[in-house]
Amino acid sequence: GVHLYRSFRFGSLAHLVMLDTRGLRDQQVAPTDLDGLVRERRTLLGDVQERWLFDQLQSSQRAGGNWRIIGQQVMFSRLALPGRPIVLADAWDGYQAARDRVLNFIQAERIRDVAILSGDIHSSWGFNVPPNAWQGYNPDTGAGSLAVEVIAPAISSPPLFSDPLLRAGEPGLRASLPHLKFLEGESNGYVLLDITRERLQSDWYFVPSVSKRSAEQNRAMSLVCERGSSRLLSS
């Protein structure tokens, strides 16, 4: 079949790898299957693509590129505490050993300045990405984070919190995620990335409606990752 993962280099400024997290994955397991969720050889990327990702990150680091950008479809950051049932079985939470392999590689090879770009969840999120947000990570300083994740909202699909039940769970979700830096689940829009050699800035823009044509938009949030920090800060 056709493999959809690709690599793009923008001089020494940034190295972008685009992953396929849909076509090569193992079958999903139930959100309550605690053994299956952590089973060692389950893969979201497939063995070949996973090795390719590691090779790309390592070669980019050795070449001295400023930023390593991973573009892919589903939320990478952890929503559920280790050893607990999960919410999103088709995201990286459902393939926890695969995520651990990525983070272990980043840590062992000292891969710096990694930003993960995601979508699929119809809402806007910004995360620091430590191996375990509840152990060995300082939410005040960001110490322990290995990367950052930026998640784009839906352009036109109903936002996540258009479901009243999901909206009601927002305060508890915020309180349970020490690595969460931004969450907005009620708006449509997009994310604009502005990348320089010294910082990566993510600006979330929201529109008032998708039911009528309009040029109106507002910049709702701006988060910056300074080179060498692996953490998001308000700009």
Side-chain angles (χ1 to χ4, degrees):
V2 177
H3 299 306
L4 300 179
Y5 49 93
R6 294 289 186 270
S7 172
F8 306 90
R9 293 182 185 267
F10 301 91
S12 62
L13 178 63
H15 180 192
L16 169 65
V17 294
M18 295 296 297
L19 302 181
D20 177 2
T21 62
R22 296 298 194 192
L24 302 169
R25 60 167 63 191
D26 286 334
Q27 186 174 357
Q28 295 177 34
V29 299
T32 55
D33 181 358
L34 300 185
D35 291 334
L37 292 172
V38 300
R39 192 167 297 134
E40 183 175 354
R41 288 315 310 164
R42 290 187 69 245
T43 177
L44 184 64
L45 302 178
D47 293 340
V48 173
Q49 183 181 196
E50 186 175 292
R51 290 194 299 271
W52 175 85
L53 171 62
F54 295 165
D55 288 343
Q56 294 294 313
L57 292 174
Q58 192 172 58
S59 65
S60 176
Q61 179 76 28
R62 290 174 175 172
N66 296 96
W67 296 95
R68 276 142 291 282
I69 314 296
I70 301 175
Q72 46 97 58
Q73 291 82 19
V74 294
M75 181 183 283
F76 185 88
S77 296
R78 186 184 282 274
L79 286 186
L81 275 72
R84 300 290 298 275
I86 63 170
V87 177
L88 302 174
D90 71 329
W92 287 84
D93 254 3
Y95 298 81
Q96 295 176 18
R99 178 174 53 201
D100 288 346
R101 288 193 294 273
V102 173
L103 292 175
N104 289 343
F105 182 86
I106 290 173
Q107 189 168 41
E109 297 297 320
R110 299 183 180 181
I111 307 296
R112 299 184 302 274
D113 303 311
V114 177
I116 302 166
L117 311 182
S118 312
D120 190 60
I121 195 170
H122 297 188
S123 44
S124 301
W125 309 66
F127 283 103
N128 291 339
V129 185
N132 185 337
W134 299 273
Q135 183 177 349
Y137 166 71
N138 187 323
D140 295 324
T141 66
S145 179
L146 301 178
V148 299
E149 182 176 18
V150 172
I151 301 179
I155 294 174
S156 59
S157 297
L160 183 68
F161 291 158
S162 58
D163 182 326
L165 186 62
L166 294 176
R167 186 188 307 118
E170 179 185 4
L173 188 62
R174 290 182 184 274
S176 69
L177 300 176
H179 52 317
L180 176 66
K181 309 305 292 183
F182 175 54
L183 167 59
E184 206 280 1
E186 300 187 17
S187 302
N188 294 101
Y190 63 95
V191 177
L192 179 66
L193 291 183
D194 185 7
I195 304 174
T196 71
R197 297 187 184 281
E198 297 305 322
R199 60 103 179 100
L200 181 148
Q201 180 169 320
S202 307
D203 296 318
W204 280 263
Y205 286 86
F206 297 150
V207 298
S209 172
V210 296
S211 61
K212 62 179 181 179
R213 187 183 297 273
S214 170
E216 185 178 352
Q217 63 179 357
N218 71 290
R219 188 173 73 169
M221 175 57 75
S222 181
L223 294 176
V224 171
C225 178
E226 297 176 349
R227 190 177 174 202
S229 72
S230 297
R231 63 173 181 168
L232 292 171
L233 297 171
S234 298
S235 66

